[in-house]
Amino acid sequence: MPRKLSWMALALAFILTVSCRNSKKEPVMTAMKKQPFGTADLYVLANHNGVEAAITNYGGILVSLKVPDRTGAPGDIVLGYDTLDGYIKQSPYFGAIVGRYGNRIAKGRFALNGKEYSLALNDGENSLHGGLKGFDKVMWSARDVSTSQAPALELTYVSKDGEEGYPGTLTSKVTYTLTDANELRIDYAATTDKDTVLNLTNHSYFNLAGEGSGDVLAHEVMLAAGKFTPVNATLIPTGELKDVKGTPFDFTTPTAIGARVNEKDEQLIRGRGYDHNWVLDSGGGSLALAARVYEPKSGRVLEVLTDQPGIQFYIGNFLDGSIKGKGGKVYGHRYGFCLETQHFPDSPNQPAFPSTVLRPGQTLREVTVHKFAVEK
Ligand code: BGC
């Protein structure tokens, strides 16, 4: 073949290959990227609508969550740090997986099958969020379990029998999935080799106007809960399930967080604001809408769906400006709110509450979905 002709043939073949490839319209793979994060790793999950979630295997922490506002501009809506060091040095559970037991166990004691167990007291006279070294402070092993539909990260942690005073070797798996429906889904699974108790949750602090941008008092919140669990002076539930009607705890219709937070209500005074467990109307057991939050400036909306019976609505009352977070921003009083889907606090000591006991042969499965949207 003359030289000129063979060049033309080559060029034609190239054009054909490229156009064939494009015409197949292969789905653009959803992406998960891994990068170093101090001595841990950071996994960045992205969807096709500009939502991006970054998670580290240290504490299973959701480090950042970028979500577009009503103009399409992305903003990071979770409080936290730029570096692993920040989380290690001082963190009020920013973004972390909390375990073995989310929230408080009275006096750090409970009995199971007639045997007494005692836990470290790390919150006055109570045990909080799993003790001195809870699941928020351990290294999880990570596995990319993405599908062609969605990037997904599976984290596994095996907690030894007796760790932090809890019985049984507990294997927990937490899977973060980011869908193109703008949902960050968290699936929990756990098994044990001895009877034990557990209450796993995620402790992200949200500010839908953007982390570090101010307090969250203008956010409008709806909680699908007609009752809440009032607390004693050390924030342990009294055992009562109290009607929210006629109290500042009624969020059955959307209400600004700040509208009633400073009322002279005994429960608000005890919590220093909202720091309580709401009893979801769904009763738990199947996925249902638990909360909806709207932020007027940005237009961002967060919906939380869960199959858990309760939700801890905490509004960062203990943030006091002493923490400098991402970009050196000062996190002041009530700069973030948490919606911790869960079983009720102190359930191991409250037989009338839904049980938090897990036995060998059973697999605990729970799911919480964070769904993002905008309103004009
Ligand atoms: C608790 C608060 C606590 C916070 C930890 C919340 O789940 O209810 O009382 O201060 O976690 O930062």
Side-chain angles (χ1 to χ4, degrees):
M1 199 182 323
R3 224 168 158 181
K4 211 169 173 184
L5 260 182
S6 67
W7 273 114
M8 276 171 68
L10 256 177
L12 196 66
F14 177 75
I15 289 165
L16 273 174
T17 323
V18 169
S19 61
C20 272
R21 262 203 200 149
N22 288 344
S23 70
K24 260 199 238 151
K25 284 221 173 83
E26 278 171 19
V28 188
M29 283 298 284
T30 41
M32 175 152 107
K33 288 190 196 119
K34 180 179 169 182
Q35 58 196 61
F37 194 58
T39 51
D41 295 307
L42 191 68
Y43 297 85
V44 184
L45 286 59
N47 78 0
H48 292 113
N49 311 319
V51 179
E52 193 189 276
I55 297 142
T56 174
N57 55 326
Y58 174 79
I61 294 170
L62 176 63
V63 170
S64 74
L65 181 57
K66 293 181 186 146
V67 176
D69 67 8
R70 64 158 72 86
T71 70
D76 186 354
I77 58 160
V78 292
L79 276 59
Y81 294 104
D82 295 318
T83 64
L84 179 67
D85 242 33
Y87 290 98
I88 292 174
K89 282 192 184 130
Q90 181 196 16
S91 176
Y93 305 90
F94 284 146
I97 298 300
V98 174
R100 292 189 186 192
Y101 200 95
N103 217 278
R104 294 175 176 80
I105 295 185
K107 308 218 161 90
R109 279 204 300 255
F110 66 94
L112 187 59
N113 306 330
K115 196 171 174 245
E116 276 276 337
Y117 293 91
S118 74
L119 315 166
L121 308 182
N122 60 338
D123 185 67
E125 60 181 43
N126 301 318
S127 176
L128 176 68
H129 293 335
L132 297 177
K133 192 176 179 191
F135 289 4
D136 58 298
K137 296 179 186 69
V138 299
M139 213 54 102
W140 295 64
S141 56
R143 197 161 71 97
D144 182 347
V145 292
S146 304
T147 64
S148 58
Q149 302 299 310
L153 177 71
E154 180 194 79
L155 299 170
T156 304
Y157 178 65
V158 182
S159 172
K160 292 199 185 76
D161 186 13
E163 193 171 305
E164 286 293 332
Y166 291 92
T169 310
L170 182 73
T171 302
S172 304
K173 281 188 194 296
V174 176
T175 307
Y176 286 93
T177 305
L178 181 64
T179 74
D180 275 340
N182 292 349
E183 297 164 336
L184 180 64
R185 181 187 163 106
I186 312 180
D187 286 276
Y188 301 85
T191 54
T192 182
D193 63 359
K194 275 188 196 160
D195 288 9
T196 193
V197 294
L198 79 159
N199 194 22
L200 302 174
T201 191
N202 175 277
H203 206 293
S204 289
Y205 288 66
F206 295 97
N207 185 326
L208 300 185
E211 55 80 30
S213 68
D215 68 47
V216 292
L217 299 182
H219 287 61
E220 291 165 19
V221 172
M222 187 286 295
L223 299 174
K227 292 180 194 298
F228 75 109
T229 52
V231 290
N232 70 15
T234 71
L235 302 188
I236 296 293
T238 59
E240 186 193 355
L241 307 186
K242 192 175 156 73
D243 275 334
V244 295
K245 234 195 172 93
T247 78
F249 291 78
D250 188 351
F251 283 95
T252 52
T253 53
T255 310
I257 295 179
R260 300 159 303 181
V261 71
N262 294 321
E263 283 183 13
K264 288 195 174 38
D265 172 277
E266 197 185 11
Q267 284 299 314
L268 282 176
I269 293 165
R270 286 186 179 167
R272 295 188 172 84
Y274 297 109
D275 187 0
H276 295 75
N277 170 68
W278 269 254
V279 179
L280 293 169
D281 294 338
S282 70
S286 59
L287 198 63
L289 182 70
R292 185 175 196 275
V293 186
Y294 166 67
E295 198 285 309
K297 266 191 291 173
S298 65
R300 290 193 185 93
V301 174
L302 161 64
E303 283 183 356
V304 178
L305 295 92
T306 189
D307 60 0
Q308 289 304 285
I311 195 162
Q312 185 82 13
F313 177 45
Y314 168 62
I315 58 165
N317 305 306
F318 293 106
L319 296 176
D320 59 5
S322 60
I323 290 181
K324 282 203 185 98
K326 296 173 189 172
K329 287 188 219 87
V330 173
Y331 291 154
H333 193 219
R334 298 177 176 162
Y335 264 42
F337 66 89
C338 304
L339 286 167
E340 302 150 62
T341 53
Q342 61 178 9
H343 273 58
F344 307 169
D346 198 35
S347 296
N349 294 309
Q350 310 245 8
F353 286 178
S355 171
T356 50
V357 175
L358 182 70
R359 303 187 196 281
Q362 299 176 327
T363 301
L364 166 134
R365 285 189 200 285
E366 298 174 3
V367 58
T368 293
V369 175
H370 301 86
K371 191 169 168 55
F372 298 98
V374 286
E375 240 176 49
K376 295 293 162 201

